[in-house]
C-alpha cells in the first residue's frame, strides 16, 4: 500500500504534467512558462518547484510518459499476434506511431536543451523509459522475424530511431508553413505519419 504522502505527490506531479500538455496543444515550447503552467493547476507557482525545477523537467516527464505508452503499444503488438508478414508488421508499427503525435512532436524539438536543463535524476528516469523502447522494438523483430540476424536487427534500430525524429515536422504542416511553401512556389508532398513510417519499415525489412 502506497504512503498517502507519496500518492499526494504523484497526483500533484500528474496535475502539473497534464497542465503543461494542455498548454502545449496551442502554444510553443518557448512560450510556455512555469507561471502559465501554474495557472492551469490547483496550486501556486512556488509549489511546482517542489516537483520540477524547470519547465524542461516537466516536458521531459511528458516525454517519459509518451515513451511508456508507446512501449506498452509495442508489448501489446507482440502479445496480440503469433506472426506477422513484413507488410502487416510495417502497418502495425506505423499505427502505433500514428497514435502518438505528442511523442513525435516532442522528438522534433531540441532535446539537447531539454536534457541539459533537467536534473540528473529526472534525465535518468527519462533515459530508462527511452532505452526500453529500443528493447521493445528488438523483441518485436525477434518474434516476427526470427531468421533476421543480430546485425540486421541492430541496423534496423540504428536507422529507425533517428528516422522518428523527422516524422512529425515532415508529416504535419502548419498553416504558416503551408502559406510560405505556396508563396515560394515549392513542391508540397502531402503525407501522413502512418504512410511514411509504413514505407520506411518495409524498406528496412525488405
Amino acid at each position: 500500500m502506497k504512503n498517502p504522502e507519496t500518492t499526494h505527490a504523484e497526483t500533484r506531479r500528474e496535475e502539473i504534467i497534464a497542465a503543461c500538455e494542455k498548454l502545449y496543444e496551442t502554444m510553443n515550447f518557448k512560450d510556455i512558462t512555469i507561471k502559465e503552467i501554474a495557472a492551469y493547476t490547483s496550486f501556486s507557482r512556488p509549489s511546482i518547484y517542489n516537483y520540477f525545477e524547470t519547465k524542461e523537467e516537466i516536458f521531459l516527464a511528458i516525454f517519459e510518459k509518451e515513451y511508456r505508452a508507446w512501449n506498452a503499444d509495442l508489448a501489446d503488438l507482440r502479445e496480440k499476434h503469433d506472426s506477422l508478414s513484413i507488410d502487416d508488421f510495417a502497418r502495425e508499427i506505423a499505427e502505433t506511431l500514428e497514435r502518438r503525435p505528442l511523442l513525435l512532436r516532442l522528438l522534433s524539438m531540441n532535446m539537447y536543451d531539454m536534457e541539459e536543463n533537467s536534473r540528473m535524476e529526472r534525465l535518468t528516469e527519462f533515459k530508462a523509459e527511452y532505452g526500453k523502447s529500443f528493447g521493445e522494438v528488438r523483441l518485436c523483430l525477434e518474434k516476427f522475424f526470427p531468421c533476421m540476424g543480430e546485425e540486421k536487427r541492430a541496423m534496423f534500430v540504428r536507422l529507425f530511431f533517428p528516422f522518428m525524429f523527422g516524422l512529425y515536422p515532415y508529416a504535419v504542416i502548419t498553416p504558416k508553413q503551408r502559406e510560405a511553401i505556396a508563396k515560394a512556389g515549392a513542391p508540397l508532398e502531402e503525407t501522413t505519419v502512418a504512410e511514411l513510417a509504413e514505407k520506411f519499415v518495409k524498406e528496412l525489412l525488405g
Side-chain angles (χ1 to χ4, degrees):
M1 186 174 179
K2 282 188 176 181
N3 184 310
E5 289 186 9
T6 302
T7 302
H8 179 70
E10 289 178 354
T11 300
R12 285 207 156 186
R13 282 185 89 257
E14 287 304 316
E15 186 177 347
I16 295 166
I17 291 168
C20 189
E21 280 187 46
K22 188 68 178 175
L23 287 168
Y24 195 47
E25 289 176 4
T26 56
M27 295 175 67
N28 292 320
F29 170 81
K30 64 180 178 61
D31 296 324
I32 296 174
T33 63
I34 295 289
K35 181 179 178 180
E36 293 271 3
I37 295 168
Y40 277 76
T41 66
S42 60
F43 40 93
S44 65
R45 178 173 57 176
S47 296
I48 290 181
Y49 293 107
N50 293 325
Y51 307 94
F52 301 98
E53 286 192 355
T54 63
K55 75 171 182 180
E56 285 84 1
E57 286 192 355
I58 303 173
F59 273 92
L60 205 62
I62 297 172
F63 222 159
E64 181 184 341
K65 178 182 170 185
E66 284 294 303
Y67 266 114
R68 188 178 302 115
W70 188 49
N71 289 339
D73 288 343
L74 294 173
D76 185 57
L77 171 60
R78 289 200 320 278
E79 292 169 6
K80 280 196 313 183
H81 303 281
D82 292 327
S83 63
L84 287 172
S85 66
I86 287 177
D87 286 354
D88 289 340
F89 177 73
R91 186 184 66 254
E92 291 280 352
I93 288 291
E95 287 176 359
T96 68
L97 292 175
E98 185 77 40
R99 293 194 295 269
R100 305 254 70 86
L102 182 53
L103 172 65
L104 298 177
R105 184 181 176 191
L106 288 167
L107 277 169
S108 70
M109 288 171 49
N110 186 344
M111 287 184 62
Y112 286 105
D113 289 342
M114 193 189 306
E115 294 183 353
E116 190 63 30
N117 289 294
S118 297
R119 285 169 291 174
M120 181 57 68
E121 58 264 38
R122 296 288 175 252
L123 182 55
T124 302
E125 290 167 357
F126 165 70
K127 289 298 187 182
E129 203 62 50
Y130 171 67
K132 284 180 186 176
S133 63
F134 286 72
E136 290 293 344
V137 169
R138 278 179 171 272
L139 287 171
C140 284
L141 294 174
E142 288 171 7
K143 177 173 183 177
F144 300 121
F145 308 102
C147 294
M148 188 179 191
E150 175 55 30
E151 187 177 339
K152 190 168 183 181
R153 274 195 296 270
M155 181 59 71
F156 183 100
V157 170
R158 282 200 297 269
L159 294 175
F160 184 73
F161 278 84
F163 162 79
M164 285 173 58
F165 282 76
L167 262 177
Y168 188 88
Y170 199 91
V172 181
I173 302 170
T174 67
K176 185 175 183 180
Q177 289 171 328
R178 193 178 296 276
E179 182 182 351
I181 289 169
K183 287 182 176 179
L188 174 61
E189 182 182 349
E190 299 282 2
T191 188
T192 66
V193 164
E195 288 171 347
L196 283 172
E198 186 173 348
K199 287 177 184 177
F200 190 69
V201 173
K202 284 182 182 179
E203 286 294 323
L204 290 181
L205 294 174

